[in-house]
Amino acid sequence: TPRSAQLVDALRTRVVVADGAMGTMIQAQDPSLADYENLEGCNEILNVSRPDIIRSVHEAYLSVGVDAIETNTFGANWSNLADYGIDDRITELAEAGARLAREAADAHATPDRPRFVLGSMGPGTKLPSLGHTTYSHLKGTFAQQAVGLVRGGADAVLVETSQDLLQAKAAVNGAREAMRETGLHVPVFVSVTVETTGTMLMGSEIGAALTALQALDVDAIGLNCATGPDLMSEHLRHLSRHSSAPVTCMPNAGLPVLGPDGASYPLSPTELAAAHTQFAREFGLGLVGGCCGTTPEHLGAVVDAVGGQSITVRDPKPENGVASLYSHVDFQQDASFLAIGERTNANGSKAFREAMLAGDWDECVAIARAQTRDGAHLLDVCVDYVGRDGVADAREVVSRLASASTLPLVIDSTEPAVIRAGLELLGGRGVVNSVNFEDGEGEGSRFARVMPLVQEHGAAVVALTIDEEGQARTTETKLAIASRLVDTLTGEWGMKREDIIVDCLTFPIATGQEETRRDGIETIEAIRALVAKYPGVHTTLGVSNVSFGLNPAARTVLNSVFLHECVKAGLDSAIVHAAKILPLNQIPDDQRRAAHDLVWDKREY
Ligand code: HCS
């Protein structure tokens, strides 16, 4: 709607003041059991049973001059309403809540001053990263909520109080599904809750949250709830420095103090206004407001302090990388290349395959952990194995690694269903390995089936230089297919170069066969040409393949030397057994020279 566009524009130009708490305001009015239709504590039922209570809260905030109000729909979701046995009323209660807010906002709007409605979507009580429910169930039920919100007139959807990034992803993608279904498109804002421990409930650092959410292309990112403003400032600083989306902040009125009559919140209106004044100046916030314990008096003070003020211009430097559920991992490492651990692979590692076939999931996790100790930055996870149910295996392995591994995961499969199952377990930002043009890019091709998954989850993607003619062997064909991949991914699929990782393919060069002698050179030269042609695009290689056929000691030498030459040509990541890559100075001279010869097809040594 035009109003949604105005809101997005406002967030980038002036400080938009949103309202404060809804839940604690309702509690303060102390509705009776009858008001709740005997569903005590179910605030969303009040949208239909006691709309006057909800209207009065909206009215109180609008009267002190806020620009935006939030709908009373925080718990109009599956898990909360299911607790009351009314999860068949998600859309109805969300829509009723949005209508109440819309009417109140419109009553205060003037032609030159719109009042916005933010459709609140809380996390519910069941978190997918804890295995309480699944991403796809949440996505479907969040879609029902968002249908109500956009039909009822929300100008944006605000996914708030997010404690689990996987839940937030389900809400964002559920909201988008609702928009496709209704044809009503509004921006999506996400606000995460960082506990006093300094991370989200699931342990995510703010950097991981930003990387995972920014990849979903959300329209604003911020913080709300859990603490007062004081404990938010370091996290806001991170968002301010690195988020290209506007930054929002809705703190509690301090940390609740538990007394005989329940929780009370210590922060005064003047203190909240002072905090927002400083944050707006220092961090360039686009939207400020309040969460639990804040009242119309608080927001009145905030309106007086910063309302309508022009935004402090930021110059954010987006971080370029991926994330586990816990931390961001940058594509640019101090190390010479990003090491993607190759051992959690049912095809490449006998130990992993045997553990998987035996259902020894603890051992699978142990293999992953060992790679972390060996210095991997990411883990490649491949469960593909003939005759197995790949989706079931992916669920077992990835669900464990998603929370047990501190490293981001690379979901490695040829099967779209396996890739989907893996991605739907990742709260962080993963990588999909891989797409290629083996069966083209038209409808029904693997490429066309995998890419919507990459998009939905905001994953990075490994693209292999394989087309309808097969695997590229020469520099020229590798570069040609890589170019087609990059152009298609950045063009039709709207990906950023930084999110594409091209694999120019490695072939065994020490099998003694004449026609393989130049394979190493072709790969190295393709990498060199590719990084020159497409700055920003990343490259990777499954390095170990180069030494296929040699004994283990020789493989270590050849892998290390080949990798070194590739890195010199511009390779910035490699799928390797990190413990078995040697620095060149640890390889005896004669062996190093022999390997160098083999790579460059010289045969001098
Ligand atoms: N918008 C919600 C957030 C709760 S954490 C409320 O009740 O104010």
Side-chain angles (χ1 to χ4, degrees):
T1 66
R3 216 176 20 240
S4 291
Q6 269 179 308
L7 173 58
V8 170
D9 185 53
L11 249 50
R12 290 189 180 274
T13 49
R14 63 185 170 88
V15 181
V16 174
V17 180
D19 62 0
M22 173 58 79
T24 50
M25 287 289 286
I26 294 175
Q27 277 159 30
Q29 295 204 21
D30 204 11
S32 74
L33 196 54
D35 295 336
Y36 279 121
E37 294 186 345
N38 290 319
L39 305 170
E40 194 174 1
C42 178
N43 286 346
E44 292 66 34
I45 203 79
L46 301 175
N47 292 338
V48 292
S49 63
R50 286 295 308 272
D52 57 308
I53 293 183
I54 307 308
R55 266 190 214 111
S56 73
V57 176
H58 289 325
E59 194 55 40
Y61 283 118
L62 288 161
S63 306
V64 299
V66 300
D67 302 294
I69 55 172
E70 270 195 65
T71 56
N72 177 40
T73 56
F74 183 75
N77 53 43
W78 159 72
S79 68
N80 183 48
L81 296 186
D83 285 345
Y84 293 100
I86 53 165
D87 52 325
D88 54 343
R89 299 181 67 182
I90 298 173
T91 307
E92 174 208 339
L93 295 178
E95 184 166 346
R99 283 198 196 288
L100 289 174
R102 179 78 275 151
E103 283 160 20
D106 287 352
H108 281 261
T110 58
D112 52 355
R113 173 130 196 247
R115 305 288 182 115
F116 303 108
V117 171
L118 310 177
S120 168
M121 294 175 73
T125 50
K126 310 270 190 293
L127 300 183
S129 288
L130 291 175
H132 294 153
T133 180
T134 63
Y135 166 88
S136 67
H137 178 70
L138 279 186
K139 181 178 134 188
T141 54
F142 278 129
Q144 294 173 25
Q145 181 182 19
V147 163
L149 294 174
V150 293
R151 277 204 201 131
D155 300 309
V157 160
L158 172 56
V159 174
E160 61 173 346
T161 322
S162 306
Q163 300 160 326
D164 174 359
L165 291 172
L166 189 53
Q167 168 269 318
K169 268 191 202 177
V172 169
N173 286 321
R176 291 193 168 142
E177 190 178 301
M179 294 177 208
R180 283 191 296 272
E181 215 172 277
T182 57
L184 300 168
H185 293 272
V186 302
V188 179
F189 305 161
V190 183
S191 178
V192 301
T193 294
V194 178
E195 307 291 335
T196 52
T197 53
T199 68
M200 292 168 68
L201 191 68
M202 288 307 308
S204 314
E205 293 165 357
I206 192 68
L210 178 59
T211 296
L213 297 171
Q214 188 137 282
L216 300 180
D217 229 354
V218 297
D219 301 276
I221 297 182
L223 296 179
N224 78 299
C225 208
T227 71
D230 49 344
L231 292 180
M232 289 181 165
S233 71
E234 281 320 300
H235 314 305
L236 288 173
R237 189 185 309 282
H238 184 92
L239 295 181
S240 175
R241 282 191 182 152
H242 301 294
S243 171
S244 42
V247 179
T248 68
C249 174
M250 302 178 81
N252 284 354
L255 291 173
V257 183
L258 278 178
D261 310 321
S264 69
Y265 291 86
L267 196 78
S268 71
T270 335
E271 290 168 319
L272 180 66
H276 276 325
T277 306
Q278 194 209 327
F279 286 174
R281 190 176 50 228
E282 201 176 338
F283 303 133
L285 300 184
L287 179 141
V288 299
C291 201
C292 304
T294 60
T295 63
E297 293 71 59
H298 286 90
L299 277 299
V302 174
V303 169
D304 292 344
V306 297
Q309 185 175 297
S310 333
I311 208 163
T312 305
V313 180
R314 296 183 294 131
D315 180 21
K317 309 262 178 296
E319 289 189 302
N320 167 15
V322 287
S324 65
L325 183 56
Y326 309 112
S327 320
H328 167 90
V329 169
D330 220 86
F331 280 137
Q332 242 66 57
Q333 291 289 323
D334 292 338
S336 60
F337 68 97
L338 193 78
I340 306 174
E342 68 175 8
R343 306 311 288 163
T344 33
N345 185 326
N347 287 308
S349 155
K350 188 157 168 277
F352 185 80
R353 175 167 64 244
E354 282 172 358
M356 187 182 94
L357 295 179
D360 186 350
W361 311 119
D362 290 347
E363 180 58 21
C364 293
V365 170
I367 291 170
R369 290 219 167 104
Q371 293 189 94
T372 311
R373 282 194 301 275
D374 287 346
H377 301 109
L378 266 63
L379 294 182
D380 187 80
V381 182
C382 176
V383 298
D384 289 356
Y385 193 66
V386 204
R388 295 279 296 184
D389 177 349
V391 168
D393 284 332
R395 291 206 177 115
E396 296 287 357
V397 172
V398 179
S399 64
R400 285 174 175 83
L401 294 187
S403 55
S405 165
T406 53
L407 304 184
L409 302 184
V410 178
I411 306 295
D412 181 350
S413 178
T414 54
E415 287 306 317
V418 172
I419 292 175
R420 176 194 294 272
L423 288 174
E424 291 190 350
L425 291 161
L426 297 186
R429 179 184 198 216
V431 183
V432 166
N433 185 7
S434 54
V435 294
N436 64 61
F437 292 135
E438 191 170 15
D439 56 353
E441 55 190 290
E443 217 183 296
S445 64
R446 281 226 169 94
F447 187 89
R449 285 189 291 150
V450 172
M451 280 313 297
L453 299 171
V454 171
Q455 265 186 334
E456 171 174 346
H457 292 270
V461 68
V462 174
L464 306 183
T465 53
I466 303 176
D467 70 1
E468 296 86 341
E469 312 285 302
Q471 302 183 325
R473 288 279 293 267
T474 64
T475 302
E476 203 189 346
T477 44
K478 286 175 197 278
L479 184 64
I481 300 173
S483 303
R484 178 178 162 203
L485 284 163
V486 173
D487 292 343
T488 307
L489 291 170
T490 53
E492 273 157 70
W493 296 92
M495 289 193 75
K496 293 205 270 297
R497 282 190 186 179
E498 287 71 20
D499 298 333
I500 302 169
I501 307 166
V502 178
D503 183 334
C504 287
L505 305 182
T506 327
F507 297 99
I509 59 172
T511 58
Q513 283 168 308
E514 191 57 26
E515 71 270 20
T516 66
R517 287 179 60 156
R518 284 193 52 84
D519 275 331
I521 300 174
E522 302 290 344
T523 298
I524 294 170
E525 294 309 333
I527 293 167
R528 202 188 312 280
L530 179 65
V531 298
K533 182 167 175 191
Y534 292 104
V537 164
H538 297 289
T539 49
T540 197
L541 275 183
V543 167
S544 311
N545 207 25
V546 78
S547 62
F548 186 77
L550 296 180
N551 70 50
R555 291 194 75 167
T556 300
V557 171
L558 181 54
N559 291 349
S560 304
V561 171
F562 179 62
L563 175 57
H564 181 80
E565 296 301 312
C566 291
V567 168
K568 276 205 296 192
L571 183 79
D572 61 5
S573 77
I575 306 175
V576 291
H577 188 177
K580 298 223 168 130
I581 293 298
L582 300 174
L584 290 194
N585 61 15
Q586 280 179 29
I587 304 176
D589 274 358
D590 56 337
Q591 294 182 21
R592 185 168 45 76
R593 288 203 193 102
H596 191 271
D597 259 16
L598 205 49
V599 169
W600 290 105
D601 189 27
K602 289 204 179 112
R603 306 300 197 263
E604 284 169 14
Y605 288 87

